Amino acid sequence: MKLLAASTRAVLFGSAAVISMAIPAVAFAQDAGEAQPAPDAAAAEADGNEIVVTATKREQTLQDVPVAVSVTTAETIERAQIRDIRDLSTVVPSLRVNQLQSSANTNFYIRGFGNGANNAGIEPSVGLFVDGVYRSRSASMIADLPDVQRVEVLRGPQSTLFGKNASAGVISLVTREPKFTFGGNVEASYGNRNALVVKGVVTGPLAETVAVSLAGGYNKRDGYVQDLGTGERENERNRWFVRGQMLFEPSSDLKVRLIGDYSKIDENCCAVVNLRAAAPTFAIQALGGKVNNAATPFADVIYNNFASTNKIENWGVSGQIDYGMGPLKLTSITAFRRTKALTNQDSDFTSADLLSRNSQDLRIDTFTQELRASTDWDGPVNALLGAFYFHEKIDQSNQLLLGTQFRPYANLLIQGQSAGAFNLAAVEGLLGALSGNPALYAGKSFGAGTGFTEGYKLKDDSLSIFGQVDFKVSDRLTITGGVNYTHDSKTYSTASSSNEVFSAIPLSNFVTPATNLFIAQGVATALGNPGGLTIATPLMIQTMATGGFGAAAQTAFNTLIVPKATATAQGLLGLKALQFLPPFLNVPNAVEGNKISGGNWSFTARAAYDVTDTINAYASFATGYKAASINLSRDSRPTAADLVRINTAGLGLPNLTAGSRYAGPEKSTVYELGIKANWGIVSANMAVFKQIIRGFQSNIFTGTGFFLANAGKQSSFGIEFEGTAKPTKELTLTAAVTYLDPKYDNFVLSAFGDLSGTRPGGVSQLSSTLGAQYDHEMGNGDHVILRGDWHYEAPFKLVEGLPNLIGVVGVNGALQAARDFKQEISQIDASFSYAMANGLEFTVWGRNLTDKRTILQIFDSPAQQGSISGYPSEPRSWGGSVRYRW
């Protein structure tokens, strides 16, 4: 409670601070395309390029703003039955949204750029803002859309006005302000799989200068995947939110807006299916475990031995003050947010008890303060100055523990790999004997309840200072220049340990002594075990090797005994795939520090020209910045250079290999030409761009952890088109098309070697959305509204490759396996509404009406080398809604 009170005081104090500013010097900002939303009446009437947006932190129509931005209005959200932020990608082709592994893990991609992972240390490439407040990590992203007025998707680097973590773009959600007239709406929807959605908002005045609003929603649905291992259903919905606002407007110059929100999720998510069976799959089945049929991934049947846990709490408070001083406007946005996420998953995705726990307990506290000053006068020059402070603390603990069947599972794998020559007990005995203590490892490997316990802390402080100037050269030509300096400082520490015995055995150290032992055994056997010896003496071995026992014996020694002994001993190295929980070297230590910091300048240069009164064109250059990301996972490793120093200092641990603790910043550049036209009944926007990201942070799941690295240089040439036509008053047609041609210009140090010149995974070459809405007004004032959308994405590979397959099929095979799984999206959505003049409205709707299914993402099956898993998409959904407005 003390922290809440302190945070609330900080919000009020920070917002009030702007009033005392006497000069239009520096205001603070980075976050969010927020400004004053347009009045609801205007918003309802606005259409096509007449929609008001705040993409440049100023109110402009979509026609006038010289930025590539897509806008989804509240009406579209209602008619298209967009239930949460994942559904936005069906109406914005340049945006791709995935929710993977847990309800707290939402990944955003714009123009093919972006990343995300169940790893709180990874910075996003796409910034998400809600009413000007930055949501810093996927776990703190919104689950259900609140009382949204519009959603703006800004495409391309936006770091000049939005600071760090906008290197690929920005998503800005703007909600409705409270009104000074009583009103609101309530909606109830019911669909297949017992899908129930109830949400509403009420608003009105408390006093002449104070208005409030209260919004809330409840979303519940049965899972569409049957878990035959637990008897439960997975991929369900069970979440709710409440959001309150207060607007204080004592004069036309001063406006204060306070917002508080709380949301909670408690769901069984997210179903994983097997897509490729391998030797480990058959070992699991031999133990009595069950795995879904890889040939029918959309049968919606899985097998786990315990249900997933996804409990997420997300709340925050924010305060915004806008103060006008003639042509000068001062703005302050202060916010505190907290996210708590508790997740657990049966990550072997079978009914066998291989992994008994894969849990994460995550807490994120974020404080932001934005201040800015902007001018709006009739002169040729207008400016915006600002700065933004960001402070975040992350506290995370994870556990990955083995189950009761992992030891017999490992035993079967070892038997299969050695063609029956060994079992786990024999390997433990051999390694113990070679260590001088036959009982050293006996019965201790892969014990139930052993595994990896992780602890991570991260503190991030960032400050951005920026400015932008618009110079109107003539009535038709405006030149814009902007600059942003961001400094980011991070301190992190780990407290992780492994108590799994087998993962700590240095198998490489045993190859030579094992070879010598097998040679000695082979020689003794070849000589008939003289004197009962089962292991030959060194003299006997030397004699056979030099021909002392005859030429035939010498030939057998060189062609049979030595090769067999060498091959058998080398087989120990094949067991390294089972050593996925090795000892962990924590940081900071005597060699590695725990602080990284750096700064970056971002720039914008743009020329906007009104070709005619209805056609605008622009040319722009912009750079973007994404801060360094910390690998808060068990795959965090020292660099190769640090590993040498660690071993020299005597800090080395068994099986400690080189890798990365973090990935450095990524920097983006875009060159763009755009044209926007509004002829009344037809409006069209088109952009042609070349976008480049240097040091792209690639984060690849390896089957047990994450390989985090800077990808060198990645670029994409693209063309985007958005258009709206109203051939009649009743009919509106929309079209949006995105063409992308991305490639890795330079990516030498990938998990698969040099990928330079190849196409990145997860990017469709062609994405499009076609829509139509027919709105017929009847004689009594009622409306009949019919809407349909078709979203298409051409086939594309989901990932570059599958690292865990390298040991089975080699690098080329691992790359080809990824190419074999392509995603193609073809989704048709439709709704039919009858809206009565008294505010009552009835709707029937359907999403993915043709029941087109696809795999959203693929990855190496954990601890099952050679096997591939993936996330299936949602099947057809349909239902009916009742809404009442007043």
Side-chain angles (χ1 to χ4, degrees), residues 2-35:
K2 291 181 179 179
L3 179 57
L4 175 59
S7 302
T8 305
R9 287 196 299 270
V11 169
L12 297 176
F13 174 80
S15 295
V18 72
I19 301 177
S20 65
M21 297 176 61
I23 57 174
V26 182
F28 293 3
Q30 157 192 319
D31 274 324
E34 146 72 23

Side-chain angles (χ1 to χ4, degrees), residues 213-545:
S213 68
L214 181 65
Y218 176 70
N219 186 342
K220 187 175 178 63
R221 184 199 68 201
D222 294 341
Y224 57 83
V225 177
Q226 179 68 50
D227 189 338
L228 296 182
T230 65
E232 300 190 26
R233 303 197 72 88
E234 196 151 344
N235 286 12
E236 65 179 4
R237 278 286 183 269
N238 186 19
R239 52 184 65 178
W240 60 271
F241 76 89
V242 61
R243 195 169 193 267
Q245 298 189 58
M246 183 178 74
L247 180 64
F248 175 55
E249 200 165 0
S251 70
S252 59
D253 295 327
L254 177 63
K255 182 166 67 173
V256 180
R257 185 183 186 189
L258 301 178
I259 303 174
D261 68 271
Y262 180 89
S263 64
K264 192 170 185 179
I265 295 174
D266 187 359
E267 297 174 347
N268 185 354
C269 176
C270 303
V272 170
V273 295
N274 184 269
L275 300 173
R276 169 176 160 168
T281 311
F282 306 130
I284 290 168
Q285 293 170 338
L287 293 172
K290 294 184 178 180
V291 186
N292 70 277
N293 186 350
T296 56
F298 303 120
D300 292 331
V301 170
I302 60 172
Y303 296 89
N304 292 312
N305 62 295
F306 65 88
S308 295
T309 299
N310 292 269
K311 296 183 178 181
I312 299 101
E313 287 184 89
N314 192 5
W315 63 267
V317 291
S318 66
Q320 175 173 341
I321 292 180
D322 295 298
Y323 183 61
M325 299 168 58
L328 177 66
K329 179 182 177 181
L330 306 178
T331 298
S332 169
I333 302 176
T334 312
F336 175 83
R337 299 205 61 81
R338 171 171 293 172
T339 298
K340 295 177 68 176
L342 181 63
T343 60
N344 191 21
Q345 183 186 59
D346 182 9
S347 291
D348 58 70
F349 308 119
T350 74
S351 66
D353 186 21
L354 303 184
L355 300 176
S356 65
R357 186 175 185 84
N358 183 15
S359 66
Q360 180 183 87
D361 189 350
L362 173 68
R363 173 170 157 169
I364 304 174
D365 289 345
T366 307
F367 173 80
T368 57
Q369 174 62 62
E370 175 182 6
L371 297 166
R372 64 176 181 258
S374 60
T375 63
D376 184 14
W377 46 49
D378 294 333
V381 178
N382 276 289
L384 182 149
L385 298 172
F388 173 80
Y389 173 69
F390 171 87
H391 174 77
E392 184 168 74
K393 293 176 65 176
I394 296 175
D395 194 343
Q396 176 183 333
S397 60
N398 302 350
Q399 274 194 322
L400 180 62
L401 304 181
L402 303 183
T404 57
Q405 291 186 289
F406 200 95
R407 181 175 173 85
Y409 166 69
N411 181 56
L412 289 177
L413 293 183
I414 291 172
Q415 287 180 320
Q417 183 173 314
S418 65
F422 287 101
N423 58 30
L424 178 56
V427 170
E428 289 175 325
L430 170 66
L431 298 177
L434 294 175
S435 301
N437 180 3
L440 181 62
Y441 302 115
K444 298 178 181 178
S445 299
F446 310 113
T450 64
F452 206 98
T453 299
E454 306 168 69
Y456 307 105
K457 292 182 182 297
L458 173 64
K459 185 176 74 171
D460 184 3
D461 285 285
S462 178
L463 177 65
S464 295
I465 299 175
F466 65 90
Q468 183 166 293
V469 176
D470 296 325
F471 177 57
K472 198 166 186 178
V473 180
S474 68
D475 289 342
R476 293 191 177 274
L477 177 63
T478 301
I479 303 297
T480 299
V483 63
N484 176 299
Y485 178 76
T486 297
H487 186 272
D488 196 63
S489 178
K490 294 183 178 180
T491 302
Y492 61 99
S493 62
T494 68
S496 301
S497 62
S498 173
N499 64 351
E500 201 290 292
V501 173
F502 193 81
S503 293
I505 300 174
L507 293 175
S508 299
N509 295 351
F510 289 98
V511 172
T512 298
T515 301
N516 293 335
L517 174 63
F518 295 150
I519 289 174
Q521 291 174 338
V523 168
T525 300
L527 296 177
N529 302 111
L533 292 175
T534 58
I535 300 177
T537 64
L539 179 60
M540 295 166 62
I541 295 172
Q542 182 180 8
T543 302
M544 176 174 280

Side-chain angles (χ1 to χ4, degrees), residues 86-122:
R86 292 184 310 153
D87 297 332
L88 281 177
S89 57
T90 61
V91 292
V92 183
S94 291
L95 174 68
R96 184 166 173 247
V97 186
N98 272 341
Q99 179 181 290
L100 307 173
Q101 187 163 345
S102 77
S103 299
N105 188 21
T106 305
N107 307 326
F108 300 94
Y109 302 82
I110 295 178
R111 290 178 170 175
F113 295 101
N115 59 13
N118 198 25
N119 185 330
I122 305 297

Side-chain angles (χ1 to χ4, degrees), residues 157 159-161 468 480-483 602-606 620-623:
S159 291
T160 300
L161 293 182
Q468 183 166 293
T480 299
V483 63
S602 299
F603 303 94
T604 293
R606 183 170 57 237
S620 66
F621 163 82
T623 64

Side-chain angles (χ1 to χ4, degrees), residues 652-669:
L653 297 172
N655 298 328
L656 179 63
T657 57
S660 69
R661 298 289 191 186
Y662 61 87
E666 67 177 40
K667 299 180 181 182
S668 57
T669 304

Side-chain angles (χ1 to χ4, degrees), residues 19 58 61 142 151 159 310 461 568 611 757 762:
I19 301 177
R58 300 175 183 274
T61 65
I142 62 169
V151 181
S159 291
N310 292 269
D461 285 285
T568 304
V611 181

